[in-house]
Amino acid sequence: MNYRHAYHAGNHADVLKHIVLARIFALMARKDTPFAYLDSHSGIGLYDLLGDEASRTGEWESGIGRLVERDDLPELLEDYLGVVSALNPDGGLEFYPGSPELARRLTRPQDRVMLNELHPEDGRLLKANMAGERRISVHQGDGWLLPRAFLPVSEKRGVLLIDPPFEQPDDLERCVTALDEAIGRMRQTVVAIWYPIKDRRQLKRFYQRLEKSSAPKMLRVELCVHPAETADRLNGSGLVIVNPPWPLDEELRGLLPWLAETLAQSEGSSQVDWLIAE
């Protein structure tokens, strides 16, 4: 309950998460039928990079700040960076979208967006930022209960983002439990779990639990800006994506090496592979 994402908005981990999320939205939209997007730990949805929190850390400068300076941007980044540009119409970089704002702008009128944020102040700000959008609902409850509360969805197609603050030692285990519950209630759900890369031994146990989960197929995507073996700092981040829409794996295999080179702070690396093959 103490975590405030505003201090970390726009950093390398956000860039990876939001690029992948934008591509999932784009690939889901190839079919006309609607889908529902569920976000378990939403934050406030929109961040001021020049505000007090983000200015204290400056993490965004080595994340989204590096991308907007490039003139060789891959075409796959157009949707994601288009949202960033729309939020900063006068140029420069002041405002940055969280996953709720990306969902608001990159999903279609027929799609539904369900957001959840437990932190009282962040939940209030999220409601204010999403005000006036009839197809978007904001809830202030326990994000871990989202699969039980809202799945299956009437649209019959769903995307669930599980992105906890990882303040508790068992959060990785709870991610797998939430995944199993989501797949058990709606097997075709696209489930994306974001996780930090700090302790490789802990991650190894996480991978083993994921491989034993009920997921029918699971893609692993990781981006490191420091050597992954360095302990006690955020060396990078990853997402595991259950039921990824085709051809997300091919897109990310082409994109991630460029992204690792662009965002590296000491030594960048990337990995895209199947934890559970089709």
Side-chain angles (χ1 to χ4, degrees):
M1 283 287 290
N2 295 318
Y3 178 84
R4 304 297 296 277
H5 188 69
Y7 291 97
H8 313 289
N11 69 2
H12 60 86
D14 254 7
V15 168
L16 174 66
K17 175 175 61 182
H18 293 149
I19 287 173
V20 173
L21 191 59
R23 291 311 307 154
I24 290 174
F25 290 152
L27 295 174
M28 293 289 286
R30 292 181 303 174
K31 293 183 179 180
D32 292 336
T33 53
F35 66 88
Y37 170 69
L38 299 86
D39 195 324
S40 68
H41 301 76
S42 296
I44 66 175
L46 183 64
Y47 298 93
D48 183 355
L49 298 180
L50 304 183
D52 180 60
E53 294 95 340
S55 295
R56 287 191 197 184
T57 64
E59 290 184 15
W60 63 270
E61 295 176 5
S62 55
I64 185 59
R66 291 192 184 179
L67 290 193
V68 299
E69 294 174 350
R70 299 289 292 249
D71 57 7
D72 61 341
L73 295 167
E75 185 178 348
L76 290 174
L77 302 187
E78 283 185 1
D79 288 346
Y80 162 60
L81 292 177
V83 174
V84 176
S85 296
L87 292 171
N88 298 277
D90 297 326
L93 192 56
E94 181 177 0
F95 297 107
Y96 183 79
S99 51
E101 184 67 17
L102 283 174
R104 184 172 77 86
R105 291 175 178 262
L106 295 180
T107 56
R108 305 161 300 173
Q110 66 265 42
D111 301 324
R112 188 159 53 111
V113 175
M114 289 171 279
L115 308 173
N116 183 83
E117 176 52 52
L118 182 61
H119 192 286
E121 177 63 14
D122 284 0
R124 183 187 66 81
L125 292 172
L126 178 63
K127 284 188 175 182
N129 286 331
M130 296 293 124
E133 292 281 0
R134 297 183 62 181
R135 65 188 185 88
I136 299 179
S137 59
V138 177
H139 308 270
Q140 289 185 262
D142 185 346
W144 297 113
L145 301 180
L146 214 65
R148 190 181 312 169
F150 294 111
L151 291 176
V153 293
S154 58
E155 291 85 354
K156 304 193 184 308
R157 295 202 301 153
V159 177
L160 168 63
L161 175 63
I162 302 174
D163 178 22
F166 291 99
E167 290 183 310
Q168 303 301 322
D170 64 343
D171 275 355
L172 287 172
E173 295 177 21
R174 299 184 80 179
C175 284
V176 182
T177 300
L179 161 64
D180 278 332
E181 186 155 28
I183 295 301
R185 297 181 69 86
M186 186 173 162
R187 187 169 177 78
Q188 69 271 33
T189 307
V190 178
V191 182
I193 301 174
W194 179 91
Y195 55 93
I197 295 177
K198 293 182 179 179
D199 184 341
R200 277 295 185 185
R201 291 172 299 178
Q202 186 181 40
L203 280 182
K204 184 177 180 180
R205 294 191 293 272
F206 178 50
Y207 300 148
Q208 291 170 344
R209 293 189 187 100
L210 288 169
E211 289 173 329
K212 295 177 181 178
S213 74
S214 57
K217 53 185 175 181
M218 181 183 296
L219 184 68
R220 174 172 54 187
V221 181
E222 294 187 345
L223 172 71
C224 288
V225 298
H226 297 292
E229 292 74 21
T230 307
D232 301 323
R233 70 176 177 187
L234 185 65
N235 301 310
S237 65
L239 293 108
V240 288
I241 304 133
V242 178
N243 296 320
W246 181 86
L248 184 65
D249 60 329
E250 297 176 14
E251 291 184 351
L252 296 178
R253 283 193 179 94
L255 179 61
L256 263 288
W258 179 91
L259 199 60
E261 179 182 354
T262 301
L263 298 183
Q265 297 179 20
S266 60
E267 180 182 328
S269 63
S270 64
Q271 175 175 314
V272 179
D273 64 352
W274 290 95
L275 266 183
I276 300 177
E278 295 185 74

